[in-house]
Amino acid sequence: MFAQTPKPPYYAVIFTSVREAGDSGYSSMSDEMVDEVKKQSGFLGFESAREELGITVSYWHDLDSIADWRNNRKHSIARSKGKQDWYSAYKVRICKVESDYDWFRSE
Amino acid sequence: MFAQTPKPPYYAVIFTSVREAGDSGYSSMSDEMVDEVKKQSGFLGFESAREELGITVSYWHDLDSIADWRNNRKHSIARSKGKQDWYSAYKVRICKVESDYDWFRSE
């Protein structure tokens, strides 16, 4: 459900995107990237939803972990494919999570 | 499409939620909250998508603006309704956006 993140501070990368029509290998690469990122040091988890707009938030231990993932070879190939085929546009925001809280219905 | 946010730093509130079944007045209150938040000082914009998980990211000038919105009377009523009827669970993360970049397909 929610990414299981530690007590703040930690980091979040908010990736907002608009897709081009058609799959063009997106779904299989997306699955592959999930497997790959889980092996990445400092990766804490992610949350994702798409309607008109897609929002994927990944959580990270620190900025170095985010930079390492950006330099990951498979991830770089996926990003090139993203610009070539999958996305009309995207925006990336790198954030420090300063505080958080949650609520769960108790029945 | 994407929220038109200024040059960082600015703030983001990542609201991740799971809905209960049924509308129970959620859609009309959601529209009302969008109208209300746009009047709020320091509000910069928002992005939203829902599948199994709902993610709404709102962007703010500073932490004071976020606190003021939390104290907004209509928003407080909506939050009570949220716990009573609309949500099974939610998580809120308050973040400082330290950097951002975007990409748009040029044709």
Side-chain angles (χ1 to χ4, degrees):
Chain A
M1 185 159 67
F2 305 138
Q4 296 302 308
T5 42
K7 199 168 164 333
Y10 54 92
Y11 283 81
V13 178
I14 305 170
F15 176 75
T16 315
S17 65
V18 178
R19 285 283 315 278
E20 293 279 299
D23 187 75
S24 313
Y26 172 82
S27 302
S28 67
M29 181 66 100
S30 177
D31 292 346
E32 208 178 305
M33 280 305 106
V34 170
D35 291 343
E36 189 70 16
V37 76
K38 285 178 178 167
K39 297 183 231 161
Q40 198 72 17
S41 170
F43 175 70
L44 302 173
F46 76 102
E47 294 158 347
S48 196
R50 177 173 299 279
E51 289 180 293
E52 267 181 90
L53 203 68
I55 305 176
T56 297
V57 188
S58 59
Y59 299 100
W60 299 88
H61 182 66
D62 52 29
L63 289 172
D64 284 347
S65 318
I66 295 170
D68 286 350
W69 173 236
R70 203 176 152 74
N71 292 327
N72 173 291
R73 196 179 59 83
K74 287 185 186 171
H75 184 212
S76 299
I77 294 168
R79 285 207 310 281
S80 300
K81 284 283 288 173
K83 288 189 185 188
Q84 191 186 306
D85 292 334
W86 300 325
Y87 296 116
S88 312
Y90 60 74
K91 179 144 193 160
V92 177
R93 293 178 175 98
I94 297 172
C95 317
K96 183 179 194 174
V97 181
E98 298 189 341
S99 62
D100 64 13
Y101 58 91
D102 54 26
W103 174 84
F104 294 85
R105 182 174 299 282
S106 50
E107 347 220 17
Chain B
M1 185 160 67
F2 306 138
Q4 295 302 309
T5 42
K7 198 169 166 330
Y10 55 91
Y11 283 81
V13 178
I14 304 169
F15 177 75
T16 315
S17 65
V18 178
R19 285 284 314 277
E20 293 279 299
D23 187 75
S24 314
Y26 171 81
S27 302
S28 67
M29 180 67 99
S30 176
D31 292 346
E32 207 178 308
M33 281 305 105
V34 170
D35 292 342
E36 189 70 16
V37 77
K38 285 179 178 167
K39 295 184 234 162
Q40 198 72 17
S41 171
F43 175 70
L44 302 172
F46 77 102
E47 293 159 346
S48 196
R50 177 174 299 280
E51 288 180 295
E52 267 179 272
L53 203 68
I55 306 176
T56 297
V57 188
S58 59
Y59 299 101
W60 299 88
H61 182 65
D62 53 28
L63 289 173
D64 284 347
S65 318
I66 295 170
D68 287 349
W69 173 236
R70 203 176 152 73
N71 292 327
N72 173 291
R73 195 179 60 83
K74 288 186 185 171
H75 184 214
S76 298
I77 293 168
R79 286 206 310 282
S80 300
K81 284 282 288 174
K83 289 190 184 186
Q84 190 186 308
D85 292 334
W86 301 325
Y87 296 115
S88 313
Y90 61 73
K91 178 145 192 158
V92 177
R93 293 176 173 99
I94 297 172
C95 317
K96 184 179 194 173
V97 181
E98 298 188 340
S99 61
D100 64 13
Y101 56 92
D102 53 27
W103 174 84
F104 294 84
R105 183 174 299 281
S106 50
E107 343 221 20

